[in-house]
Amino acid sequence: NFMNELSGFHELEQQIKGTLNLDHVIITPGNSDEHDWVKQELGKAAVDYLQSIIQSNQTIAVTGGTSMAVVAEMMSPASYAQNSMFVPARGGLGERVENQANTICAEMAKKANGEYRLLYVPDPLSEESYQSIIEEPSVKEILQIIRQADVVMHGIGDAVTMAKRRKASKDVLHKIETGKAVSEAFGYYFNNVGEVIHKVRTVGMQLEDLSKINCVIAVAGGKSKAKAIYSYFKQGKSNVLITDEAAANELIKGF
Ligand code: F6P
């Protein structure tokens, strides 16, 4: 399409789309690891893409992280879609408040003139609490909305970076390191062939729910994330990737 031609990354986008078997790839200039403006461009591209596909009365589930926080920062009302509902895909996952899915989803809703619903559940949860929390009527109701989301937008992180950022226990960190986890998304840690090495037990979107959702958009850039992106897509059910030039160039080296 016109936007892709303009971006100058058309060929690279096609190559990644083909190899990772995706429906759509968008590449923005630069390296998110180095400059904030690059991440903002990534966020802007994510907002533009969302607005190009979203219809009125649809639900958008979002995850946390700094990339998604920038998507929220760049959010604006869509011209054609009304009554958007934003929900967090899963719990807080140990992020700082400003990078939690709840915070991001409330900000997106505000900027898009939409509605939002939040999930008030601590994580990680013990098996016992998990079982009783999912029976709570208020939690059940929001979980229903989350699972029926029309669009999911999420971040992808490097496994060890994420485990440390979340202050994971020694045991979990050990499991992630010995299991050679490479990527993390939705609270799942994957190795280089896409197997789940560890999963944070919390309510919300589970990996198997994603295959029922038509549009799952990954937003992740930076040269340092290329390996993680590749690992995630070995298993990941996402069909759209919004990334930057540095991650894309590094990514194709692995093909
Ligand atoms: O913790 C939420 C989350 O979306 C993770 O699933 C993902 O690994 C991470 O944030 C990405 O964070 P960032 O965009 O800051 O790299």
Side-chain angles (χ1 to χ4, degrees), residues 29 93 121 137 142 148-149 158 162 171 193 199 203 229 232 251:
L93 295 174
V121 172
I142 167 110
Q148 289 167 5
D158 168 79
M162 288 314 298
D171 285 356
V193 290
K199 168 186 175 184
V203 300
I229 296 170
Y232 169 73
L251 196 58

Side-chain angles (χ1 to χ4, degrees), residues 8-224:
F9 299 115
H10 186 68
E11 240 156 70
L12 197 50
E13 287 167 342
Q14 290 308 310
Q15 203 177 342
I16 292 175
K17 182 180 150 182
T19 310
L20 298 183
N21 197 17
L22 303 175
D23 292 331
H24 206 69
V25 174
I26 297 171
I27 299 171
T28 58
N31 181 359
S32 302
D33 293 337
E34 286 169 2
H35 304 285
D36 286 345
W37 65 263
V38 178
K39 225 177 215 180
Q40 280 165 353
E41 287 294 306
L42 197 70
K44 181 72 177 58
V47 169
D48 288 347
Y49 182 74
L50 181 69
Q51 293 183 343
S52 74
I53 56 140
I54 192 85
Q55 291 164 24
S56 290
N57 307 309
Q58 287 195 325
T59 300
I60 303 111
V62 298
T63 69
T66 62
S67 311
M68 290 303 300
V70 175
V71 178
E73 198 185 301
M74 307 310 273
M75 188 60 72
S76 62
S79 23
Y80 298 105
Q82 269 126 41
N83 301 323
S84 301
M85 161 79 86
F86 292 84
V87 292
R90 296 189 88 195
L93 295 174
E95 294 276 20
R96 305 155 61 105
V97 167
E98 62 270 34
N99 295 331
Q100 284 177 10
N102 270 344
T103 313
I104 288 170
C105 121
E107 188 184 343
M108 283 186 180
K110 188 172 156 196
K111 294 199 170 149
N113 293 335
E115 299 288 323
Y116 65 87
R117 296 290 303 272
L118 302 179
L119 244 182
Y120 297 104
V121 172
D123 51 74
L125 286 166
S126 67
E127 182 62 39
E128 210 186 340
S129 323
Y130 177 81
Q131 293 306 340
S132 62
I133 278 184
I134 58 171
E135 292 308 323
E136 277 297 323
S138 65
V139 173
K140 258 191 165 157
E141 194 197 333
I142 167 110
L143 287 182
Q144 273 264 331
I145 302 177
I146 293 172
R147 292 224 178 88
Q148 289 167 5
D150 300 287
V151 178
V152 176
M153 198 180 260
H154 69 95
I156 300 172
D158 168 79
V160 174
T161 307
M162 288 314 298
K164 288 187 176 154
R165 186 160 108 191
R166 290 173 174 156
K167 305 197 168 47
S169 69
K170 266 210 172 87
D171 285 356
V172 168
L173 202 56
H174 182 75
K175 192 173 162 193
I176 283 163
E177 282 170 346
T178 53
K180 297 198 170 59
V182 179
S183 62
E184 193 284 343
F186 300 100
Y188 292 79
Y189 291 83
F190 307 95
N191 67 11
N192 67 352
V193 290
E195 291 160 347
V196 176
I197 296 302
H198 175 69
K199 168 186 175 184
V200 181
R201 194 190 292 112
T202 187
V203 300
M205 192 79 74
Q206 310 294 313
L207 211 52
E208 43 301 356
D209 298 325
L210 290 176
S211 35
K212 287 173 243 138
I213 296 171
N214 285 330
C215 188
V216 184
I217 308 162
V219 184
K223 189 176 178 187
S224 65

